[in-house]
Amino acid sequence: MIQMMLPQRRRPTASARRQQEVAPVAKDDPVVPADIHAPSVEDDPVVAADVHAAGVDAANDAEGFPGEPRDPSVLIEYADHVAVSVWNEEKLGRPAPEIEGLITATGLSPLIAFSVDTGDRGLISSFVERWHRETSSFHLLMAKFSITLDDVMSLLHLPIVGTFHTFEPLHVNEAVLMLVELLEVSREAARAETAYCHGPYSATHVHVVFLDALRDLSQSGSYAWGAAALVHMYDHLNDACRSSIRQLAGYITLLQCWIYEHFSSVAKCMADPDYDEVSPHACRWITMKAIVKSIFTATYRQRLDRLRIPDVRWMPYGEHRPF
């Protein structure tokens, strides 16, 4: 579960002061005749620079890395660093075909291909402020808008037709047995984990009862994941619009990409030139931190207030239908 902190006013704090330690100055050693020597290459700064550059180039050609660093004798473990994989445009992480196969069986494999890794807090906050739980919609000056099943199906390629799992209350002993069986944890650790099953959910703890829905992955592939995702998004928007709440939990990618599709004049985002119409629509958006951090919440509010009917993309998906 993803949790996004919404913007709020904070009082400025004083910068922490650091004390700088002054290194002791070494005493001058007496100069003896043996220290006096004839001029060498190092004594001429121009010649020394040329010699040093030639030596560096030779070292680079022998054992350097493309880009930086050039001296592997300093960063001796650089060859195994993630930066090398990024430079070589390699896919990060080890392939796990057995896990990918399990995810395919659940019907959630489209989610592997994309995720908006940069959440726009100002943009999300400006829309949360317009959400009303009584109507399950965003109230703008010109009209009301809601995220629909068609949005979920087109953006995420998740099925909106299927079965729903019925969750039954679990006894503590049943929860412990499920953790031991499905996650292969020790019985002591399982009993410690069940302590988090009481009270409201959080962004870091998930109720053990949800494991029961994934016990049989072949059966979970028949679930209406898209409909469940939409209800989940509605529930968190209902909570976030309350004045006492300062955060929004849930799958932020769904909400943010929905805004990109329908309100392109409000949110500035780059479209992927390599996007193909067969992939989920959420794959076509590329977020950049420079753009996200350069726009304040007040700016988004003004853009929403200036919206008119022609500014909205009412049918953004065209003929794009995954099923």
Side-chain angles (χ1 to χ4, degrees):
M1 180 184 296
I2 301 175
Q3 184 173 353
M4 170 177 289
M5 299 299 298
L6 300 179
Q8 55 182 320
R9 296 181 179 178
R10 298 184 176 91
R11 294 183 178 179
T13 58
S15 301
R17 298 179 179 177
R18 298 181 178 177
Q19 297 180 350
Q20 298 181 349
E21 297 181 357
V22 180
V25 180
K27 297 181 178 179
D28 293 335
D29 295 329
V31 178
V32 296
D35 295 329
I36 304 176
H37 55 80
S40 62
V41 173
E42 287 76 8
D43 295 328
D44 189 337
V46 177
V47 177
D50 294 339
V51 173
H52 177 71
V56 171
D57 292 339
N60 292 343
D61 295 338
E63 53 184 354
F65 290 92
E68 297 290 346
R70 289 297 191 179
D71 188 358
S73 66
V74 178
L75 301 178
I76 58 177
E77 298 181 358
Y78 185 73
D80 297 327
H81 197 275
V82 66
V84 177
S85 300
V86 174
W87 181 275
N88 295 329
E89 298 182 355
E90 299 175 0
K91 185 178 181 180
L92 300 181
R94 294 176 298 176
E98 65 280 1
I99 296 180
E100 293 181 2
L102 295 175
I103 296 178
T104 301
T106 65
L108 300 176
S109 56
L111 300 181
I112 302 176
F114 62 89
S115 182
V116 176
D117 55 359
T118 303
D120 193 333
R121 291 186 296 176
L123 177 64
I124 298 299
S125 179
S126 63
F127 271 85
V128 170
E129 295 168 353
R130 314 292 178 111
W131 178 266
H132 289 270
R133 58 188 307 163
E134 295 87 352
T135 60
S136 296
S137 60
F138 299 98
H139 289 212
L140 304 185
L141 292 180
M142 57 163 176
K144 301 181 183 68
F145 298 88
S146 295
I147 308 175
T148 66
L149 288 174
D150 181 62
D151 291 310
V152 177
M153 181 179 63
S154 299
L155 287 170
L156 307 181
H157 278 198
L158 295 181
I160 59 176
V161 178
T163 60
F164 291 92
H165 183 80
T166 302
F167 294 96
E168 300 293 341
L170 282 179
H171 189 270
V172 174
N173 293 335
E174 295 176 329
V176 170
L177 181 61
M178 188 177 300
L179 288 172
V180 173
E181 176 186 350
L182 299 181
L183 302 184
E184 298 182 356
V185 300
S186 65
R187 188 172 295 273
E188 293 75 15
R191 286 199 172 276
E193 286 295 328
T194 54
Y196 297 113
C197 297
H198 306 286
Y201 303 129
S202 68
T204 55
H205 301 105
V206 179
H207 205 295
V208 181
V209 71
F210 291 120
L211 289 176
D212 186 47
L214 301 175
R215 183 188 294 270
D216 185 0
L217 293 181
S218 61
Q219 180 182 358
S220 62
S222 62
Y223 295 155
W225 290 105
L230 183 59
V231 173
H232 189 257
M233 187 82 263
Y234 275 24
D235 286 342
H236 286 293
L237 285 171
N238 291 339
D239 292 336
C241 69
R242 297 166 57 189
S243 59
S244 59
I245 304 299
R246 292 291 183 270
Q247 61 188 19
L248 172 66
Y251 192 48
I252 307 300
T253 297
L254 171 59
L255 176 57
Q256 194 158 319
C257 290
W258 175 80
I259 297 173
Y260 291 155
E261 291 287 347
H262 291 275
F263 306 94
S264 57
S265 62
V266 175
K268 303 299 181 183
C269 187
M270 295 180 58
D272 188 353
D274 298 327
Y275 169 75
D276 61 272
E277 290 295 333
V278 180
S279 303
H281 256 240
C283 294
R284 69 192 300 254
W285 299 110
I286 303 175
T287 55
M288 299 180 64
K289 290 184 178 180
I291 298 178
V292 168
K293 292 185 177 181
S294 63
I295 305 177
F296 298 99
T297 306
T299 303
Y300 284 126
R301 292 168 180 162
Q302 295 172 2
R303 292 177 179 178
L304 285 177
D305 291 340
R306 291 196 300 262
L307 278 177
R308 297 296 179 265
I309 295 296
D311 300 327
V312 180
R313 297 180 62 197
W314 299 94
M315 301 291 291
Y317 313 114
E319 300 298 327
H320 177 85
R321 292 293 181 270
F323 307 110

